[in-house]
């Protein structure tokens, strides 16, 4: 007899869940059974749009519901901890949107609670599931470009060319920036830092120049790092480009990655946005370019693959790529950059504490 589908609930059905819902539609492993949000108007809209008839404004009703197996936490970051810990204590499998928490202490507490179980836990970061990035990782592991020497991430954020994010979803980010956790490094940057670790491993030390050109925009910035177990050096350059038309169905974020090896090159030319019409993944070696233009390149594909991996991992009784421990590692990397930018010195992720971050941000 086929196993029954897992039943999922969302706590928080805000802007990002528009990309989560298509992953649940027609998924063989999981059905979206219950929606929770304190915003009743939004709940009514999602119920109508998605046809999920069970809704509640009280998260405790989600945790007490014995028919729910898996809880997704999609609220603003500073609210993640309470929902994650209570859902784990209620015996649910828990998926939380990145970044896991706003401090290392909170993130470590959540990761430790998740390890005790009984439910499985993961922190969704969709970039490592983006098909061109998945293929690039395969090429790296197959040694297609030899030993990696440098990896360079580039982010250009624009203001127009994509849809408008609802003001309500933007406002809480302003309060985050006041605490030093800006959009480009701590929030959206989480994806790039996650990918940097996913491709080449643990980070040893970082240096950074970080400016603030506009509101909560922590850019322009130039960030450098070295890896712990590899010779490779990494960099991440960030620029706010207010007058650049940034073509995207999602957010005006133009991302590119260049990876240089001893015998070849890999170029990843898009992710959230698509401002150039090049193939998403290009490999150069032995005097020849290979264009991977058959890959799925719509950013939605990264959410669909990432979200569907979790119920499969639960069934197969395995971790996903994005464990609580990995989330803590990414946060350490992000905080090391924030501290390095503020103090103007090299910082090792391993030395970062919440006190050091507070001192660096508030003086
Ligand atoms: N993967 C990505 O690319 C990506 C992009 C954007 C946002 N995110 C992450 O997703 C999370 C949510 O971001 P968003 O842009 O959807 O924010 P949002 O403000 O649009 O949505 C958050 C929702 O949580 C609800 N909420 C708040 N308190 C609640 C409570 N006590 N009970 C139930 N619901 C509650 C709010 O009413 C709101 O609808 C954040 O962690 C953010 O970093 C990820």
């Amino acid at each position: 007899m086929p196993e029954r589908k897992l039943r999922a609930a969302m706590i928080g059905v805000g802007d990002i869940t528009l990309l989560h819902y298509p992953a649940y539609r027609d998924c063989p492993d999981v059905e979206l059974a219950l929606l929770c949000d304190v915003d009743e108007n939004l709940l009514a809209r999602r119920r109508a749009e998605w046809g999920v008839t069970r809704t509640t404004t009280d998260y405790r009703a989600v945790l007490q519901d014995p028919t729910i197996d898996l809880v997704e936490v999609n609220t603003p970051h500073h609210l993640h901890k309470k929902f994650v810990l209570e859902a784990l204590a209620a015996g649910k499998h828990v998926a939380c949107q990145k970044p896991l928490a706003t401090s290392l202490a909170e993130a470590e507490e959540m990761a430790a609670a998740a390890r005790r179980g009984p439910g499985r836990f993961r922190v969704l970061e969709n970039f490592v599931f983006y098909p061109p990035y998945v293929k690039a990782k395969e090429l790296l592991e197959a040694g297609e470009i030899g030993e990696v020497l440098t990896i360079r991430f580039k982010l250009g954020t624009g203001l127009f060319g994509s849809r408008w994010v609802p003001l309500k979803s933007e406002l809480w980010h302003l309060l985050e920036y006041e605490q030093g956790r800006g959009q480009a490094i701590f929030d959206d940057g989480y994806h790039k830092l996650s990918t940097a670790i996913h491709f080449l491993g643990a980070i040893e030390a970082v240096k950074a120049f970080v400016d603030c050109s506009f509101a909560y925009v922590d850019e322009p910035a130039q960030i450098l790092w070295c890896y712990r177990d590899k010779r490779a050096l990494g960099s991440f350059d960030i620029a706010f480009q207010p007058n650049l038309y940034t073509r995207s169905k999602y957010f005006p974020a133009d991302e590119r990655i260049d990876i240089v090896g001893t015998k070849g090159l890999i170029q990843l030319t898009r992710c959230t946005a698509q401002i150039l019409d090049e193939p998403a993944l290009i490999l150069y070696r032995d005097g020849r370019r290979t264009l991977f233009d058959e890959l799925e390149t719509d950013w939605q594909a990264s959410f669909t693959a990432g979200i569907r991996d979790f119920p499969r991992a639960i069934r197969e009784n395995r971790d996903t790529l994005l464990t609580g421990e990995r989330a803590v590692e990414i946060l350490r990397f992000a905080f090391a950059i924030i501290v390095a930018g503020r103090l103007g010195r090299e910082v090792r992720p391993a030395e970062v504490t919440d006190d050091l971050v507070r001192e660096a941000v508030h003086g």
Side-chain angles (χ1 to χ4, degrees):
M1 207 170 76
E3 281 185 274
R4 76 163 174 83
K5 284 186 176 191
L6 295 173
R7 292 195 191 95
M10 285 182 185
I11 300 179
V13 292
D15 192 50
I16 200 59
T17 61
L18 291 172
L19 286 127
H20 288 223
Y21 172 66
Y24 285 100
R25 207 176 40 210
D26 313 322
C27 178
D29 300 311
V30 64
E31 87 174 86
L32 186 56
L34 178 57
L35 306 178
C36 169
D37 202 293
V38 286
D39 181 337
E40 291 192 34
N41 292 332
L42 183 62
L43 261 186
R45 211 161 73 227
R46 296 287 186 252
R47 189 165 49 223
E49 286 164 356
W50 299 349
V52 177
T53 51
R54 294 183 57 218
T55 58
T56 176
T57 53
D58 182 357
Y59 77 98
R60 283 165 300 204
V62 174
L63 306 189
Q64 287 161 7
D65 186 330
T67 68
I68 295 299
D69 307 291
L70 186 170
V71 174
E72 260 199 12
V73 177
N74 300 319
T75 61
H77 330 321
H78 63 282
L79 301 174
H80 287 173
K81 177 182 161 192
K82 161 188 157 109
F83 299 122
V84 165
L85 290 182
E86 290 191 35
L88 285 167
K92 309 296 186 191
H93 303 291
V94 182
C96 181
Q97 255 290 1
K98 61 39 60 180
L100 176 55
T102 53
S103 73
L104 281 176
E106 286 191 348
E108 280 166 352
E109 185 182 348
M110 290 148 89
R115 220 14 104 191
R116 289 194 293 273
R120 291 236 162 233
F121 180 59
R122 81 90 174 275
V123 183
L124 180 67
E125 181 291 288
N126 52 299
F127 279 36
V128 296
F129 293 96
Y130 184 56
Y133 287 20
V134 172
K135 186 69 194 172
K137 167 92 168 149
E138 274 174 40
L139 297 175
L140 289 173
E141 285 180 349
E144 289 284 347
I145 62 167
E147 185 191 358
V148 175
L149 301 170
T150 61
I151 180 165
R152 173 182 176 235
F153 290 76
K154 179 203 163 293
L155 166 67
T157 48
L159 275 181
F160 66 101
S162 85
R163 72 196 181 101
W164 288 101
V165 173
L167 192 57
K168 178 184 157 215
S169 312
E170 294 279 19
L171 283 178
W172 56 267
H173 285 103
L174 287 170
L175 302 175
E176 280 289 291
Y177 184 71
E178 274 186 2
Q179 303 303 316
R181 298 183 290 269
Q183 172 80 13
I185 293 167
F186 186 80
D187 184 334
D188 179 60
Y190 188 98
H191 298 294
K192 286 72 171 178
L193 307 185
S194 164
T195 307
I197 294 173
H198 178 61
F199 279 173
L200 294 174
I203 307 300
E204 177 62 26
V206 308
K207 295 184 181 189
F209 292 93
V210 182
D211 204 344
C212 173
S213 58
F214 166 74
Y216 61 90
V217 180
D218 43 349
E219 36 191 307
Q222 285 282 357
I223 299 157
L224 296 170
W225 62 87
C226 58
Y227 283 91
R228 194 183 61 199
D229 305 315
K230 286 205 170 58
R231 189 156 64 114
L233 296 176
S235 64
F236 179 15
D237 64 76
I238 308 173
F240 176 51
Q241 299 169 281
N243 299 323
L244 181 77
Y245 181 87
T246 317
R247 180 162 50 124
S248 173
K249 282 156 70 180
Y250 306 102
F251 299 104
D254 169 45
E255 291 119 349
R256 276 174 260 156
I257 307 176
D258 282 327
I259 313 174
V260 173
T262 48
K263 64 175 184 188
L265 308 168
I266 288 174
Q267 286 190 328
L268 288 150
T269 65
R270 74 175 84 142
C271 191
T272 312
Q274 182 188 352
I275 67 168
L276 303 173
D277 283 324
E278 297 160 275
L281 172 59
I282 302 169
L283 167 70
Y284 175 83
R285 59 166 287 179
D286 302 329
R288 248 200 358 263
R289 269 190 347 151
T290 308
L291 308 179
F292 294 85
D293 39 16
E294 77 290 0
L295 298 167
E296 175 59 77
T297 57
D298 193 309
W299 197 52
Q300 171 67 57
S302 63
F303 281 86
T304 302
I307 285 168
R308 290 184 174 186
D309 185 53
F310 190 46
R312 263 200 306 275
I314 293 168
R315 287 217 192 287
E316 293 164 9
N317 202 22
R318 62 165 167 85
D319 277 338
T320 72
L321 290 175
L322 301 168
T323 59
E325 290 81 9
R326 174 55 60 89
V328 171
E329 189 181 359
I330 298 166
L331 283 181
R332 278 192 173 280
F333 188 8
F335 282 129
I337 294 167
I338 290 168
V339 173
R342 300 269 177 156
L343 300 187
R345 70 163 171 88
E346 183 176 303
V347 177
R348 285 175 305 108
E351 78 179 85
V352 174
T353 61
D354 290 328
D355 282 343
L356 179 62
V357 177
R358 261 189 298 276
E359 247 172 64
V361 171
H362 298 295

